[in-house]
Amino acid sequence: MSDSPPNSGTQDHAAQATESLPKRLLRATEVDTRMLGLIGALVMIWVCFHFLSDGRFLTPRNLWNLSVQTSSVAVMATGMVLIIVTRHIDLSVGSLLGFVAMIMGVTQTAFLPDVMGVGSDWIWVVTLLVGICLGAFIGGVHGFIIAYAGVPAFIVTLGGLLVWRGLAWWVTTGQTVSPMDPTFRLIGGGPYGSIGAFWSWMVAIAACVGIVFSIAIGRINRKRFNFPLRPMWAELTMAAIGCASVLGAVATANSYPWPRGIVKRYAEQNSITVPEGGLFIAHGIAIPVLIAVGVGIVMTFIATRTRFGRYVFAMGGNPEAAELAGINTRWVTMKIFILMGVLCAIAGAISTARLNASTNAQGTLDELLVIAAAVIGGTSLSGGIGTIVGAIIGALVMQSLQSGMVLLGVDAPFQAVVVGVVLVLAVWLDGLYRSRSV
Amino acid sequence: MNSKHETTNVSDSNSITKQTDEAATTVIEMHDCSISFGGIHAVQNASLSLKKGEVVALLGHNGAGKSTFIKLLSGAYKRDTGVIKVRGEEATINNPRDAKSYGIETIYQTLALADNVDTAANLYLGRELRTVWGTLDDVAMEAKAREVMGRLNPRFQRFKEPVKALSGGQRQSVAIARAILFDAQILIMDEPTAALGPQETAQVGELIKQLKKDGISIFLISHDIEDVFELADSVAVMKNGQMVGTAPVSDVTRDDVLGMIILGKCPPGAVRGPGAIDTELA
């Protein structure tokens, strides 16, 4: 809003002078108020659960677990944003995850050990590659039918929901596949599947440097073309808030120690003498969380910095205009579904590694959590609007509700009731907000 | 470009000069173009040509087939039959990308803007500028957008807002800016002033005159007969999907043109099309 039209400039200055500090802050930093509302809701949920559970919610242990539990849905939600932005839907993600996870399970337990030798270091790499290629292929099949054969995405992916769930059962006739390759299991988190205190701090420092760097580059670029700039204090505030959140999150992850039993075994294996009062080994950031954050960054980059992303949003805003502008809308649609398939495979790898098994029911109802995360995160079902960050926070909101209710001992059926009500409420509030803003 | 004409007309020297002249100045020839949707013949055997720097107005009732006919040229529809020549050579126009590659830009009646993205993103939609790393060069696009919009609409400053927040006139200038941004040689304007107030309409008129001076050829679809007589060099009238006739503006009166639109009657000064109705017989 810093570059308001010149004819209203005088009014703006008058208005700015009488504005309260938070309003001025919002205007200067160009923060999306909707996103702020979402973060506010998340904080409120956390604080409420914290008090209701007698202080068990906002603990390093619970928050660390929350981050791990969120990662699988968060990964898929980033892809769902692009799908919903182009006015499609994908109901098959849970089944797709289940099928790909089952194939990855069989690949690393039954197939690869025969080919590569039991315990080969490359089993996890090949397994991941197989999963990602399969996900891309299935997504491509969905996308092809939707884009080129003109069958609505709702129907194609509803079919997919049944087909892939059925095929997941067929692969092992319903048997659970376990255990997974030890290296592959690190993808799922746990004490060994976390990067420890030192590397977590390194990641935090890199992230802070990245935040400052990107803000600086943006400013230099705008200066080069003499565009209106945000006030310096606003840029510094944004950088400070960004860095503080990163450091806070990492500090939390670093204050969650390994369980005593694992520390003891680790100390014995590495012949470390345990000091009096116990040895403190921090978890640090869990690998699935790192993957989810990495996916979030890559997807944000794709959505905002590439032609493909620009086309996705333009198609969502006005499909006819995109077509008339010469965009190959069918190919873009197919690519979106390929991307969704790849993300399902990544999410499948995380969930398989975490469970240390591929099960027949894996990913059941995930499609609803993923769609809910994207929608709560501000993706508009009428198309054209949505952010990756929003969807990830949306996933965190959904998971917070579920974990919180588990902590409080709410029965599973009632958890479903609450989640359902929250989803409808969130979309209703969002509609109210949008009808007032533009 | 003219070699074909010259070899076929070697025996007749007069013919050669005539043909080369024509080929040099005629930028668009559409011959016997037709398209049907289901059983409806939206456009039937319509022909029209456009010379360099010429403004040809296309008139007719709602549903006469003007927009559909022009969409055959812009690539929005693929014609069933007919030939389109661009600068004397047969052109393959099957989609909007093809048309753009021949330097044909279109301002659609609906404007065809992506409402949810900003001005620069709309101007460059489908032809985004990229940095050396292959990422979108938003800053460069915004800079160019500011430059072009500054010429069309100097007071416009709302570059950071999605175009759905803009006024009708501002949206129209975004659509026009997009058409002239890439040095179009041939411009199709479908009702460019339909959504505008008198002052903005006058601005668009000035712009059309300026573009014509720059040697750009324009197909102008309009309802406003006054506009047409002020801006166009010649008129073409369609009725029921067929061409009634074409005539230089200087050779026909307003009543003649109204007669063409309403009755399908072709006046003496005009070239008859297949859609003309013989009033003596009727």
Side-chain angles (χ1 to χ4, degrees):
Chain A
M1 285 293 137
S2 59
D3 42 4
S4 46
N7 46 357
S8 65
T10 48
Q11 290 165 1
D12 273 10
H13 281 301
Q16 270 168 11
T18 56
E19 263 176 354
S20 60
L21 183 70
K23 268 196 182 162
R24 261 172 58 201
L25 193 69
L26 278 184
R27 178 191 290 275
T29 50
E30 295 170 23
V31 172
D32 180 8
T33 48
R34 206 198 160 284
M35 186 71 77
L36 220 55
L38 185 63
I39 294 170
L42 182 66
V43 170
M44 233 167 65
I45 291 169
W46 284 7
V47 171
C48 283
F49 277 128
H50 189 64
F51 283 109
L52 290 174
S53 63
D54 299 323
R56 276 181 298 156
F57 193 88
L58 290 176
T59 58
R61 176 197 159 111
N62 188 52
L63 291 177
W64 188 90
N65 280 326
L66 189 64
S67 71
V68 174
Q69 287 159 354
T70 306
S71 39
S72 163
V73 167
V75 165
M76 290 190 282
T78 61
M80 191 61 81
V81 170
L82 301 192
I83 288 183
I84 297 179
V85 159
T86 48
R87 309 184 185 186
H88 293 296
I89 195 80
D90 194 336
L91 300 176
S92 70
V93 292
S95 298
L96 214 163
L97 180 151
F99 179 64
V100 176
M102 190 55 90
I103 294 290
M104 282 194 286
V106 172
T107 305
Q108 63 185 296
T109 53
F111 180 64
L112 287 182
D114 290 346
V115 182
M116 303 172 75
V118 180
S120 162
D121 288 342
W122 294 95
I123 286 181
W124 72 278
V125 178
V126 178
T127 302
L128 263 187
L129 276 180
V130 166
I132 286 172
C133 292
L134 181 66
F137 174 75
I138 295 174
V141 170
H142 286 173
F144 183 83
I145 299 172
I146 292 160
Y148 291 93
V151 184
F154 185 91
I155 297 301
V156 173
T157 58
L158 184 61
L161 180 140
L162 299 169
V163 168
W164 307 120
R165 181 62 64 201
L167 288 180
W169 180 89
W170 174 77
V171 174
T172 60
T173 52
Q175 287 169 357
T176 296
V177 179
S178 186
M180 295 298 146
D181 176 76
T183 318
F184 184 84
R185 282 174 61 188
L186 299 182
I187 298 170
Y192 293 114
S194 307
I195 60 173
F198 174 76
W199 286 110
S200 297
W201 286 123
M202 288 297 121
V203 169
I205 290 168
C208 291
V209 169
I211 289 170
V212 172
F213 190 69
S214 66
I215 289 178
I217 287 283
R219 195 173 172 84
I220 289 168
N221 261 331
R222 295 191 67 79
K223 215 167 192 169
R224 191 157 58 94
F225 285 90
N226 283 323
F227 289 169
L229 296 173
R230 294 197 272 195
M232 198 61 192
W233 62 267
E235 307 263 35
L236 290 176
T237 311
M238 290 305 286
I241 292 175
C243 293
S245 339
V246 169
L247 294 172
V250 169
T252 310
N254 279 347
S255 51
Y256 175 39
W258 281 14
R260 240 176 253 154
I262 294 181
V263 171
K264 202 174 150 201
R265 209 182 319 149
Y266 178 81
E268 279 165 9
Q269 279 167 4
N270 294 277
S271 45
I272 303 168
T273 43
V274 179
E276 242 175 274
L279 182 66
F280 183 92
I281 302 179
H283 275 81
I285 307 170
I287 288 174
V289 177
L290 268 188
I291 293 174
V293 170
V295 165
I297 291 170
V298 170
M299 289 294 288
T300 301
F301 178 83
I302 288 175
T304 59
R305 308 290 331 139
T306 66
R307 276 190 178 179
F308 168 73
R310 179 63 50 85
Y311 295 168
V312 166
F313 280 85
M315 280 163 60
N318 188 344
E320 197 201 2
E323 185 82 47
L324 290 174
I327 295 170
N328 190 344
T329 52
R330 291 177 172 192
W331 175 225
V332 173
T333 303
M334 186 161 155
K335 278 198 281 193
I336 295 170
F337 280 88
I338 292 174
L339 196 55
M340 187 74 241
V342 169
L343 293 170
C344 286
I346 295 173
I350 292 175
S351 101
T352 308
R354 204 161 86 80
L355 287 170
N356 191 19
S358 304
T359 73
N360 195 28
Q362 207 172 336
T364 306
L365 289 185
D366 266 11
E367 55 280 343
L368 300 184
L369 291 177
V370 169
I371 293 169
V375 171
I376 287 180
T379 309
S380 164
L381 286 167
S382 49
I385 301 170
T387 60
I388 304 297
V389 177
I392 292 177
I393 299 178
L396 202 53
V397 168
M398 299 293 294
Q399 194 58 52
S400 299
L401 281 174
Q402 287 194 314
S403 310
M405 287 188 290
V406 170
L407 266 186
L408 295 182
V410 177
D411 293 331
F414 283 109
Q415 292 179 25
V417 171
V418 172
V419 168
V421 170
V422 166
L423 174 64
V424 175
L425 209 67
V427 174
W428 176 62
L429 283 175
D430 189 44
L432 276 188
Y433 172 81
R434 282 193 210 289
S435 62
R436 276 181 203 179
S437 54
V438 180
Chain B
M1 177 157 48
N2 303 322
S3 56
K4 223 186 272 173
H5 294 298
E6 283 167 25
T7 47
T8 50
N9 292 303
V10 156
S11 55
D12 188 344
S13 61
N14 282 333
S15 174
I16 293 172
T17 46
K18 198 182 165 203
Q19 290 276 359
T20 44
D21 267 7
E22 210 167 280
T25 54
T26 303
V27 287
I28 295 285
E29 292 166 79
M30 298 176 75
H31 289 298
D32 290 332
C33 292
S34 305
I35 184 171
S36 349
F37 299 102
I40 298 160
H41 300 291
V43 174
Q44 247 183 310
N45 298 329
S47 305
L48 192 58
S49 63
L50 183 65
K51 294 193 180 71
K52 189 172 164 59
E54 186 187 31
V55 178
V56 172
L58 189 55
L59 293 134
H61 276 309
N62 284 331
K66 314 180 295 277
S67 287
T68 310
F69 177 56
I70 229 66
K71 278 181 178 168
L72 301 180
L73 181 63
S74 76
Y77 293 144
K78 192 173 181 294
R79 63 189 183 281
D80 297 335
T81 59
V83 175
I84 296 176
K85 287 184 178 175
V86 179
R87 287 176 278 274
E89 284 181 26
E90 196 168 331
T92 320
I93 298 179
N94 294 327
N95 56 48
R97 257 166 296 154
D98 293 344
K100 283 169 199 282
S101 72
Y102 288 107
I104 302 170
E105 293 286 337
T106 312
I107 301 161
Y108 293 96
Q109 194 171 0
T110 56
L111 302 184
L113 298 173
D115 281 332
N116 55 331
V117 296
D118 64 18
T119 300
N122 266 291
L123 293 190
Y124 282 93
L125 193 55
R127 290 177 282 200
E128 286 77 5
L129 299 180
R130 289 188 287 186
T131 63
V132 284
W133 297 289
T135 59
L136 293 177
D137 196 345
D138 279 322
V139 184
M141 287 192 272
E142 189 181 329
K144 185 77 182 168
R146 282 175 185 270
E147 184 198 319
V148 177
M149 289 298 287
R151 265 185 291 158
L152 288 179
N153 194 345
R155 284 163 53 114
F156 183 81
Q157 285 296 324
R158 300 164 74 182
F159 287 96
K160 282 284 163 197
E161 293 174 58
V163 296
K164 78 172 157 216
L166 307 182
S167 72
Q170 288 170 332
R171 288 162 56 84
Q172 186 79 52
S173 33
V174 174
I176 294 175
R178 174 166 64 185
I180 62 177
L181 185 62
F182 292 93
D183 300 322
Q185 295 308 300
I186 298 130
L187 214 51
I188 301 170
M189 297 176 139
D190 193 350
E191 301 278 6
T193 58
L196 301 185
Q199 200 186 344
E200 288 162 327
T201 303
Q203 264 177 21
V204 172
E206 288 306 310
L207 177 72
I208 291 175
K209 285 176 190 162
Q210 182 59 47
L211 292 170
K212 184 177 147 70
K213 216 179 279 172
D214 297 343
I216 293 170
S217 320
I218 300 173
F219 274 128
L220 177 68
I221 298 183
S222 181
H223 265 104
D224 189 338
I225 206 157
E226 293 303 323
D227 262 8
V228 167
F229 272 86
E230 193 194 328
L231 300 170
D233 299 303
S234 55
V235 292
V237 176
M238 288 186 77
K239 190 173 167 64
N240 301 331
Q242 290 182 310
M243 198 60 78
V244 174
T246 54
V249 168
S250 51
D251 293 356
V252 285
T253 64
R254 283 163 175 70
D255 286 342
D256 288 340
V257 174
L258 285 175
M260 290 165 85
I261 295 171
I262 298 165
L263 303 172
K265 186 179 130 190
C266 197
V271 180
R272 277 177 74 95
I277 293 166
D278 231 327
T279 40
E280 280 88 3
L281 291 174

